[in-house]
Amino acid sequence: MVEPMYPSTRSDREVWLKEARYNLFNLLSPQVFIDLLTDSGTGAMSQEQWSALMSGDESYAGSQSFDRMKEVITSLCGFPYILPTHQGRAAENVLFSVMVKEGHVVPGNAHFDTTKGHIEFRKASAFDCTIDEASDTTLYHPFKGNLDISKLENVMDVYGKERIPMIIVTVTCNSTGGQPVSMENMKAVRKFADRHGIPVIFDAARFAENAYFIKTREKGYEERSIREIIREMFSLADGMTMSSKKDGIVNMGGFIALNSQALYREATTFNIMFEGYITYGGMSGRDMAALAQGLKEASTFGFLESRIKQVHYLGELLKEAGIPVQEPFGGHAIFVDATRFLPHVPREEFIAQTLAAELYLESGVRAVEIGTLLADRDPETRENRYPRLELLRLTIPRRVYTRNHMDYVAAALINIYHRREKITSGYKIRYEAPIMRHFTVELERIG
Ligand code: F0G
């Protein structure tokens, strides 16, 4: 779908950003020129997806569109039991309603914020077991989404298997920079989990991008097809939660896929309560039809190569200009290391958010903070949790922008980089919600 773009002037943006209380989520889309807030639900559907939309079967029960979607998921990922949900966090809500209880500990690789939110909401805790290399943006490691098995062992020693309902493997790992997990690491997690009898659940929003990186970076997979790699990845999990808004290339949707019939049956009750009947779960028939087609398209090498190379093109432009970025580049976004970009802004003043505001004022480009605002407060001490990385995420929607847009984004950031010494202060909070504050936070400029 071709969408309009909205140019603006710096003085327009000064007014709009102040009105938005310096929270970029509060901007209206006509106030944004190039929108790199997220790659979630913002992709452009193909002609085959639009035509599939017209064939949607809207029956309450027994929809053929559900059947088609189920067939595609099962043939791609191998799981026989599928529950549709309206998006990824809804899949988490339903599955965790069965699996996560008060006092539980859920290890994983830098859990996404809604995942962590659903765990903490149930008075359980999320334990980050990502490899240490992931938090050094200057270090090359081909799989910075990998889990550190010795950290998993530590969690096991401290809490015991009774308190660990599952291990979550996020493919690709959004929070560390869209970084992939290697097949070798997935196998090691599987082995660990089998030893202790713990299920492994993949948070699979960007599973196809992960498969692309395995094919292009992991020894022994060069000649394997994307679909073969995907199948092998999921053979190492007991189930998955999916936000279809990413590698499903649809605007809305999600699902749970499982091997265990018993778990599926338990989850079914919550799905019916929270989402909808088991053959639609919060999705229209037409959306399930478009998703079935989108999953097929996303699992092709041609699509993945053009998408990921576009992201990397932007990364190269920034790197050439000396801008500190997470390397190697990930799948869906380029992550700028805001602490190294703006060394004079104190971390208490939200470094990555300060850079996001500067970029918007400079150019009308909307990026997103992956830093202290997102990391929230510790649920017990209520102190700010300062993450190891303060990142600005430039997230590229699928099949929407061109190289020319990437050039514009790079030019804007390079302009700011040239005057970075003059940026010495950031923001303070005027209002924040008790959980997931970054969506609705209101800020005030310091200085
Ligand atoms: N898991 C991961 C890894 C995600 O990136 C997201 C969403 C979700 C789960 C939740 O899915 O949005 O469909 O409810 N990520 C978006 C983003 C919002 O901008 O990265 P959802």
Side-chain angles (χ1 to χ4, degrees):
M1 186 56 66
V2 176
E3 295 176 43
M5 294 190 71
Y6 303 96
S8 54
T9 64
R10 186 173 177 112
S11 52
D12 290 335
R13 296 191 292 270
E14 290 276 0
V15 174
W16 294 335
L17 189 61
K18 192 167 181 211
E19 282 172 0
R21 291 158 315 274
Y22 302 99
N23 179 346
L24 282 86
F25 283 99
N26 286 333
L27 292 170
L28 305 175
S29 72
Q31 297 170 342
V32 175
F33 184 46
I34 294 179
D35 205 347
L36 306 187
L37 185 70
T38 180
D39 64 328
S40 182
T42 53
M45 292 208 294
S46 66
Q47 57 193 16
E48 288 80 7
Q49 284 181 288
W50 281 108
S51 57
L53 215 74
M54 300 306 291
S55 70
D57 175 353
E58 305 302 340
S59 306
Y60 188 97
S63 157
Q64 293 178 73
S65 302
F66 170 75
D67 259 6
R68 263 199 295 278
M69 180 183 84
K70 182 170 179 267
E71 261 171 46
V72 170
I73 298 169
T74 304
S75 79
L76 200 57
C77 310
F79 300 114
Y81 297 103
I82 315 293
L83 281 171
T85 63
H86 78 273
Q87 61 183 93
R89 66 201 68 186
E92 292 162 359
N93 187 30
V94 169
L95 191 65
F96 295 0
S97 292
V98 179
M99 298 181 77
V100 181
K101 304 282 179 253
E102 186 170 344
H104 275 174
V105 174
V106 184
N109 52 343
H111 312 62
F112 182 65
D113 53 335
T114 60
T115 319
K116 193 192 266 176
H118 275 296
I119 292 168
E120 291 178 350
F121 181 72
R122 290 172 170 80
K123 298 195 166 44
S125 16
F127 230 94
D128 185 6
C129 295
T130 317
I131 54 169
D132 288 338
E133 288 90 331
S135 47
D136 182 349
T137 56
T138 59
L139 192 86
Y140 183 88
H141 186 296
F143 293 100
K144 280 185 170 175
N146 280 358
L147 287 89
D148 183 333
I149 304 296
S150 68
K151 290 186 186 175
L152 284 179
E153 269 157 6
N154 265 344
V155 177
M156 178 62 64
D157 288 347
V158 175
Y159 298 99
K161 76 173 231 189
E162 291 70 30
R163 289 178 68 185
I164 305 177
M166 64 175 112
I167 300 169
I168 296 182
V169 181
T170 308
V171 291
T172 58
C173 184
N174 188 356
S175 313
T176 59
Q179 296 292 323
V181 180
S182 70
M183 195 72 86
E184 187 189 16
N185 190 247
M186 288 179 215
K187 285 181 185 162
V189 172
R190 177 77 263 170
K191 210 165 138 197
F192 173 87
D194 283 345
R195 211 163 60 235
H196 299 284
I198 303 170
V200 177
I201 301 293
F202 282 5
D203 175 351
R206 300 179 182 85
F207 70 94
E209 292 176 7
N210 202 96
Y212 174 86
F213 285 118
I214 289 176
K215 184 174 169 69
T216 53
R217 289 185 189 165
E218 190 163 352
K219 213 166 159 280
Y221 288 91
E222 305 84 350
E223 302 303 324
R224 305 280 294 280
S225 74
I226 294 290
R227 286 184 75 99
E228 283 169 341
I229 295 171
I230 291 170
R231 197 58 192 258
E232 186 176 341
M233 281 167 54
F234 286 111
S235 75
L236 300 165
D238 297 288
M240 66 191 274
T241 56
M242 176 71 187
S243 167
S244 305
K245 302 167 72 170
K246 285 83 166 173
D247 279 351
I249 333 183
V250 289
N251 304 119
M252 193 54 69
F255 58 86
I256 300 167
L258 298 166
N259 275 334
S260 154
Q261 187 189 45
L263 192 55
Y264 163 78
R265 283 189 170 149
E266 280 188 86
T268 295
T269 309
F270 290 103
N271 215 69
I272 294 172
M273 275 201 301
F274 298 150
E275 293 297 297
Y277 181 65
I278 54 173
T279 56
Y280 74 87
M283 292 183 73
S284 325
R286 64 182 85 92
D287 285 340
M288 291 190 282
L291 172 57
Q293 176 61 27
L295 286 169
K296 285 196 227 162
E297 291 172 18
S299 316
T300 61
F301 184 73
F303 161 76
L304 289 165
E305 186 166 60
S306 87
R307 163 173 183 54
I308 291 173
K309 286 202 168 157
Q310 182 184 41
V311 175
H312 290 198
Y313 173 72
L314 174 61
E316 288 297 342
L317 292 177
L318 300 180
K319 191 179 158 184
E320 271 166 32
I323 293 178
V325 285
Q326 169 71 298
E327 286 185 77
F329 307 134
H332 65 301
I334 294 299
F335 286 65
V336 179
D337 185 335
T339 313
R340 283 164 60 215
F341 192 117
L342 294 179
H344 305 309
V345 179
R347 68 174 191 175
E348 292 74 15
E349 298 180 14
F350 309 109
I351 307 167
Q353 182 66 16
T354 304
L355 186 55
E358 283 296 328
L359 177 61
Y360 174 70
L361 291 173
E362 177 75 21
S363 61
V365 173
R366 172 160 69 172
V368 69
E369 187 249 24
I370 307 279
T372 304
L373 282 177
L374 177 80
D376 252 322
R377 290 179 189 274
D378 183 286
E380 272 162 28
T381 65
R382 302 305 301 157
E383 291 298 322
N384 273 321
R385 286 191 282 215
Y386 292 104
R388 278 181 288 181
L389 290 176
E390 276 282 336
L391 299 166
L392 178 75
R393 187 181 75 172
L394 304 162
T395 339
I396 315 299
R398 291 166 185 77
R399 308 192 287 212
V400 172
Y401 292 116
T402 66
R403 240 177 201 220
N404 179 248
H405 298 114
M406 299 301 115
D407 291 339
Y408 178 90
V409 173
L413 262 174
I414 292 166
N415 286 347
I416 301 169
Y417 196 58
H418 288 155
R419 59 177 169 77
R420 66 189 181 281
E421 294 298 328
K422 297 197 190 108
I423 303 168
T424 54
S425 61
Y427 293 85
K428 65 179 176 196
I429 293 179
R430 274 177 41 185
Y431 160 78
E432 66 182 293
I435 192 165
M436 286 190 267
R437 63 181 177 183
H438 64 293
F439 290 117
T440 53
V441 71
E442 295 182 7
L443 300 167
E444 191 178 312
R445 232 181 200 161
I446 295 173

